[in-house]
Amino acid sequence: MKLNVAVFFGGESVEHEVSIISAEQAIAALDREKYNVIPIYIAKDRKMYISELLEDVRNFKDLKDLVSKCTQVTLAHVDNKVIILPVKTTLFGKKELGTIDVAIPVMHGTNGEDGTIQGYLEMMKIPYAGCDLYGAAVGQDKVLQKNILRDNGLPITDWFYVYGEEMDEHQDEILAKVHKLIYPVILKPARTGSSIGIAIAHNDEEYLECFENTRQFDEKVITEKVVKPMREINCSVLGDTIHAEASVLEEVTKQTESDNMLSFADKYMGNAKGAKGAKSSGSKGMASTARIVPAPLSEAETATIQKYALETFKVLGCAGVCRIDFLMDAETKRIYVNEINTIPGSLAFYLWQEMGVSFTELMDRLVDQALARERRRSRMTFSNDTNLLANYSENGLKGAKGTKH
């Protein structure tokens, strides 16, 4: 009997379109002999839709027209099943549109990858692939992430963060912190990805201008010392709390001339081939980025980065397939953990292909991990059978309004 696998993608995020590209690749890679694949598109207004039209990326050129042809749905947990229900029913239309056995979130950025969709799936009791809501939240928030990495002895660059509102009253203090790092510095929104909102500043004037732009994407703005000359090395990790393995390494080579920084266009607007069988005539996601695989590093350097990748995966409480991005000082050879992507672009399938793991096998492993985690959790205790309110007494609560005992 086939499993009903729902792929959730889209969402209210600046990485909405990137999510669509990654999801289309994942949908194409799922084995239709094993799974009934259900694409569930979350529009920018957070409404959910299903339709066969969602399986072809070319239909997303006009989002408004697309959703007008799809069925808006909601989910309900009934009799230990999660049922897909149409929001609007007709006299002769279907009252139920199927059930979900396993979910695969392919949502990048805020309101999705950050624990939002994971929390929703847990509330619905749907087994899902990837990080749980805690690992997802920490993986998305670079401030929390960096603090955990630092406390666990993993190497990171010198940095600090402030809330965007602080610049209005504490400009001189913030600039003093920047001067301690020494220009050039890089500014990042704390909770976005895909290079969105990232900029490099070389002096105070540039810094203030970049800060105003970056704060538009997140309340927290991170400032880091630029590593220069820099090499960017990425490593994927696949697994869970029981077992995890590191992929081959890649060195990203297509970068902007001025500061050696990978841009959004570099990442997603190239023309390399994507997943076999994908219905697409456009971008191939992160698979399009110019890269050298395996990265031209020594055995010792490769082993060190893979070790750091596995440690990062573990201390952040991750699961599924992630990609950890590293920076290497090209002169000193020092290595720094840059960030983790808990739902990486293209699900980093291209790194696993180099190890003989096809995209289809990668998707199988994600489904298996989701079911295994659900089996482990089913043996845990999350609530008590007792009801403290069974002996409720108004007299016993008089004078205690609003207090917790």
Side-chain angles (χ1 to χ4, degrees), residues 189-210:
R191 290 166 289 200
T192 65
S194 298
S195 299
I196 292 170
I198 293 179
I200 288 181
H202 302 83
N203 53 56
D204 287 357
E205 182 180 357
E206 285 185 11
Y207 182 84
L208 295 174
E209 182 179 343
C210 292

Side-chain angles (χ1 to χ4, degrees), residues 226-252:
V226 167
V227 176
K228 195 171 184 179
M230 181 191 77
R231 297 175 68 183
E232 183 176 349
I233 311 295
N234 299 336
C235 178
S236 180
V237 174
L238 174 63
D240 53 26
T241 55
I242 308 303
H243 173 74
E245 58 183 304
S247 72
V248 298
L249 307 184
E250 65 169 337
E251 179 170 7
V252 179

Side-chain angles (χ1 to χ4, degrees), residues 311-385:
E311 289 176 358
T312 298
F313 187 87
K314 181 178 180 180
V315 301
L316 297 180
C318 295
V321 62
C322 299
R323 193 189 74 238
I324 297 91
D325 299 346
F326 294 86
L327 306 177
M328 173 184 277
D329 187 310
E331 292 181 350
T332 66
K333 306 299 182 181
R334 287 197 63 181
I335 299 165
Y336 305 91
V337 181
N338 185 32
E339 65 181 25
I340 191 169
N341 295 271
T342 57
I343 304 180
S346 301
L347 298 185
F349 78 87
Y350 47 87
L351 291 177
W352 293 100
Q353 283 184 334
E354 294 294 325
M355 298 184 67
V357 179
S358 68
F359 202 168
T360 295
E361 183 181 345
L362 175 64
M363 300 307 294
D364 284 343
R365 292 196 191 184
L366 292 180
V367 172
D368 290 344
Q369 288 169 11
L371 295 173
R373 179 168 61 195
E374 187 65 17
R375 287 193 293 270
R376 293 196 300 271
R377 288 190 170 189
S378 68
R379 298 191 293 268
M380 299 175 68
T381 300
F382 292 100
S383 64
N384 294 319
D385 292 332

